[in-house]
């Protein structure tokens, strides 16, 4: 059995994999992939929390992407699109991105591997 160093904390994720928890602040550009984002940056419940969808909906696009295949949402805050649709990427959060379909104006979260970036506008 491996000995844990003092001060290390380990947590268990889905599927049984272990990961090491680290303390720190990710900065103002970071926003959790959650239904709400606290205005003060604190992860605790906040009566002033804003809807994540509203938070990213007015963001300047980072990139333009083309849908490789259609995506059918399973959650209310996810984006529906068809193969070939152009999507303005507004935020990248690891495997999930937030975007707006060019033709319909609909916005929401989607898996990044359903699209291919055709043009980068800026760096996040």
């Amino acid at each position: 059995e491996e000995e844990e160093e003092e001060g290390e904390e380990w947590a268990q994720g889905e599927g049984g994999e272990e990961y090491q928890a680290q303390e720190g602040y990710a900065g103002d550009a970071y926003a959790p992939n959650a239904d709400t984002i606290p205005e003060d940056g604190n992860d605790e419940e906040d009566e002033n929390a804003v809807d994540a969808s509203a938070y990213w909906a007015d963001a300047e696009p980072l990139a333009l992407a083309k849908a490789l295949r259609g995506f059918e949402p399973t959650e209310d805050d996810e984006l529906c699109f068809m193969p070939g649709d152009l999507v303005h990427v507004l935020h990248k959060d690891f495997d999930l991105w937030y975007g707006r379909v060019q033709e319909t104006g609909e916005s929401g979260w989607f898996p990044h591997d359903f699209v291919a970036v055709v043009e980068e506008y800026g760096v996040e």
Side-chain angles (χ1 to χ4, degrees), residues 6-88:
E6 188 175 329
E8 285 187 342
E9 294 183 22
W10 292 84
Q12 191 154 357
E14 293 180 354
E17 69 275 0
E18 286 188 341
Y19 60 92
Q20 187 174 7
Q22 297 179 352
E23 289 187 56
Y25 179 67
D28 291 337
Y30 173 78
N33 181 15
D35 291 335
T36 61
I37 300 169
E39 288 182 351
D40 63 5
N42 189 336
D43 286 342
E44 296 175 16
E45 287 292 321
D46 187 337
E47 64 185 36
N48 297 321
V50 295
D51 181 345
S53 301
Y55 186 84
W56 294 117
D58 293 330
E60 288 293 320
L62 302 172
L64 180 64
K66 186 173 185 176
L68 300 173
R69 57 186 185 269
F71 179 66
E72 191 65 38
T74 57
E75 302 290 332
D76 291 340
D77 62 350
E78 292 178 336
L79 181 61
C80 178
F81 52 78
M82 303 300 292
D85 280 353
L86 294 175
V87 179
H88 291 278

